[in-house]
């Protein structure tokens, strides 16, 4: 604490991201990055754009927004883009949630939500998930200040059917419902198809997971033009250019190259199911994941112990030391080769422990 900090800086309880180790020998399965590099078309577009770095980027990001609108059969006015979906989420809290009215989100969810709520002094209610980590959707109805949840949820990986998502939207007609679809491309139907039906729905997505662009920082929000205008008002009161020229060019190329995205996403889903079966064969309980990670626990081994032993073998996964998920490990899906090594290592650890 410093006397020089504002009340806001003092109040802040910053999010702690997963370790970013630069050691290339480590198999990094802790932050749900895509194991495949960005599409070659993305690299080419960024290279070309380096010729224009003396100029400010577009403040309205029209070409990228048009490209995204085309991909989702929307109009540019229904698309917002920002510096990673974390920034889009932060701006959304500022644009749609008020201090006096409590918002709701699940008690086990993306840990940035309480961070934003604290920072902006927005009160919140954490809705306890069911024992099996599914969401009790009626508890999300008639929220006073708004609702936010990821679908699929993180770190559980569990997907909520679109009919249930729609029920949450219908039962919150006077507040904004934000569906954070960071992992939707590895899952079922997106709520994007409901945007024209409900003016209180905001869908947030990212290029960080399914489009292999975590390092470029491009997130997006899709919703009614009035909601998008609300986000623009916040953006233009903070930073006219949250996306630089390279990010705009790269993200546009990523949305233009659908074939690459479809291919890598399919591969990750196939590997995920293989890893799930492999862990189950070793006695793990694995939640039904529709993401690029699995959330797993073993009845006979401490999760923190498995985490340490995997790390000693050069494999980094994520462990949240927080009840009731402290016996679970979150394992991002890497390449086929990486995941074979992961399964092999788990098998060795378990065999040694049994002796
Ligand atoms: C990864 C993730 C994000 C953040 O994505 P960025 O676009 O990289 O900021 C947002 N929400 C959830 C649930 C995530 O898992």
């Amino acid at each position: 604490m410093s006397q020089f900090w504002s009340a806001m800086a003092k109040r802040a309880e910053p999010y702690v991201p997963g370790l970013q180790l630069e050691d290339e020998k480590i198999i990094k399965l802790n932050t749900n990055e895509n194991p495949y590099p960005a599409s070659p078309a993305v690299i080419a577009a960024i290279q070309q754009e380096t010729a224009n770095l003396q100029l400010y980027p577009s403040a309205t990001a029209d070409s990228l927004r048009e490209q995204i609108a085309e991909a989702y059969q929307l109009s540019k006015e229904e698309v917002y883009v920002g510096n990673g979906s974390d920034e889009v989420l932060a701006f959304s809290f500022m644009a749609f949630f008020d201090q006096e009215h409590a918002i709701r989100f699940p008690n086990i969810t993306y840990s940035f939500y309480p961070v934003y709520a604290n920072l902006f002094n927005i009160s919140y209610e954490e809705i306890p998930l069911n024992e099996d980590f599914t969401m009790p959707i009626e508890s999300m109805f008639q929220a006073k200040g708004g609702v936010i949840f990821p679908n699929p949820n993180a770190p559980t990986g569990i997907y909520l059917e679109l009919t249930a998502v729609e029920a949450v939207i219908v039962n919150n007609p006077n507040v904004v419902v934000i569906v954070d679809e960071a992992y939707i491309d590895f899952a079922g139907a997106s709520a994007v198809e409901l945007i024209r039906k409900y003016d209180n729905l905001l869908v947030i997505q990212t290029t960080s997971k399914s489009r292999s662009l975590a390092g470029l920082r491009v997130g997006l929000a899709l919703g009614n033009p009035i909601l998008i205008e609300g986000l623009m008002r916040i953006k233009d009161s903070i930073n006219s250019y949250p996306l630089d020229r390279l990010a705009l060019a790269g993200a546009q190329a990523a949305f233009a190259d659908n074939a690459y995205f479809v291919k890598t996403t399919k591969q990750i889903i196939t590997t995920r199911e293989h890893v799930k079966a492999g862990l189950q064969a070793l006695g793990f309980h694995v939640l039904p994941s529709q993401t690029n990670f699995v959330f797993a626990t073993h009845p006979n081994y401490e999760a923190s112990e498995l985490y340490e032993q995997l790390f000693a073998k050069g494999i980094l996964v994520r462990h949240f030391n927080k009840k009731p998920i402290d016996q679970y490990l979150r394992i991002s899906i890497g390449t086929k080769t990486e995941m074979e090594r992961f399964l092999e290592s788990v098998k060795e650890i378990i065999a040694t422990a049994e002796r």
Side-chain angles (χ1 to χ4, degrees):
M1 272 308 160
S2 159
Q3 57 167 319
F4 301 118
W5 292 357
S6 67
M8 189 187 230
K10 284 180 186 151
R11 182 168 72 234
E13 293 172 28
Y15 174 79
V16 183
L19 284 176
Q20 280 309 122
L21 296 179
E22 301 291 334
D23 183 345
E24 298 210 337
K25 288 194 294 286
I26 296 258
I27 298 182
K28 199 173 170 305
L29 309 176
N30 70 328
T31 51
N32 301 340
E33 287 143 322
N34 201 301
Y36 301 108
S39 146
V42 169
I43 312 299
I46 291 175
Q47 193 90 52
Q48 198 174 15
E49 191 60 23
T50 56
N52 302 318
L53 291 180
Q54 73 280 23
L55 302 173
Y56 278 111
S58 163
T60 48
D62 290 320
S63 338
L64 173 57
R65 289 166 64 215
E66 266 158 26
Q67 186 81 51
I68 293 170
E70 194 186 308
Y72 293 103
Q73 280 139 27
L74 296 170
S75 72
K76 174 181 70 135
E77 288 68 33
E78 295 167 304
V79 180
Y80 175 84
V81 290
N83 196 317
S85 61
D86 287 339
E87 187 197 69
V88 179
L89 285 164
F91 285 8
S92 300
F93 272 61
M94 287 192 245
F96 309 119
F97 299 154
D98 281 307
Q99 304 194 346
E100 313 83 75
H101 307 292
I103 59 165
R104 286 189 196 156
F105 47 79
N107 64 337
I108 301 162
T109 195
Y110 190 40
S111 34
F112 237 130
Y113 305 157
V115 171
Y116 296 137
N118 280 326
L119 190 67
F120 304 137
N121 254 339
I122 296 161
S123 58
Y124 58 93
E125 298 162 0
E126 293 179 284
I127 304 302
L129 294 182
N130 298 320
E131 200 120 317
D132 63 357
F133 296 117
T134 55
M135 197 165 85
I137 62 160
E138 286 82 9
S139 313
M140 291 293 185
F141 293 178
Q142 319 301 344
K144 291 276 183 308
V147 173
I148 180 165
F149 61 92
N151 194 31
N153 197 7
T156 64
I158 293 175
Y159 171 73
L160 186 67
E161 290 302 332
L162 204 53
T163 47
V165 174
E166 186 166 6
V168 174
I169 300 163
V170 169
N171 287 284
N172 282 288
N174 302 318
V175 294
V176 174
V177 173
I178 301 178
V179 185
D180 179 354
E181 293 191 336
Y183 302 101
I184 197 68
D185 297 325
F186 304 103
S190 162
V192 167
E193 63 183 76
L194 302 176
I195 282 170
R196 295 254 163 102
K197 218 165 148 188
Y198 302 104
D199 62 2
N200 64 327
L201 166 64
L202 189 75
V203 175
I204 294 183
Q205 295 190 0
T206 176
T207 61
S208 295
K209 278 64 186 241
S210 58
R211 300 208 185 242
S212 302
L213 291 177
L216 204 63
R217 312 303 303 128
V218 181
L220 46 136
L222 309 164
N224 184 280
I226 301 294
L227 296 185
I228 301 307
E229 193 187 330
L231 280 168
M232 291 284 191
R233 289 172 69 86
I234 300 294
K235 170 189 89 80
D236 289 325
S237 305
I238 293 182
N239 179 2
S240 306
Y241 314 107
L243 287 181
D244 62 57
R245 282 187 168 271
L246 306 185
L248 289 172
Q252 186 170 338
F255 279 97
D257 187 0
N258 212 51
Y260 183 87
F261 155 76
V262 168
K263 190 177 93 185
T264 47
T265 304
K266 270 198 184 137
Q267 182 57 64
I268 290 167
I269 292 172
T270 305
T271 310
R272 176 186 78 204
E273 295 309 309
H274 176 69
V275 170
K276 180 180 176 183
L279 285 172
Q280 284 172 331
L282 294 171
F284 281 83
H285 171 61
V286 187
L287 297 192
S289 167
Q290 293 209 32
T291 61
N292 67 338
F293 59 84
V294 290
F295 203 51
T297 184
H298 198 292
N300 308 336
Y301 304 98
E302 286 287 322
S304 57
E305 186 60 24
L306 289 171
Y307 171 91
E308 291 298 340
Q309 299 220 27
L310 280 166
F311 191 64
K313 288 178 179 290
I315 298 172
L316 183 56
V317 298
R318 191 99 194 246
H319 174 239
F320 298 92
N321 199 5
K322 181 191 161 187
K323 292 244 178 265
I325 56 169
D326 58 332
Q327 283 307 326
Y328 281 80
L329 292 178
R330 193 193 68 187
I331 302 135
S332 309
I333 302 300
T335 62
K336 274 187 282 187
T337 319
E338 287 172 333
M339 299 323 281
E340 287 308 338
R341 256 197 61 195
F342 164 76
L343 286 173
E344 208 42 54
S345 301
V346 174
K347 203 186 259 177
E348 284 166 20
I349 292 165
I350 285 179
T352 320
E354 267 165 5
R355 250 181 261 129

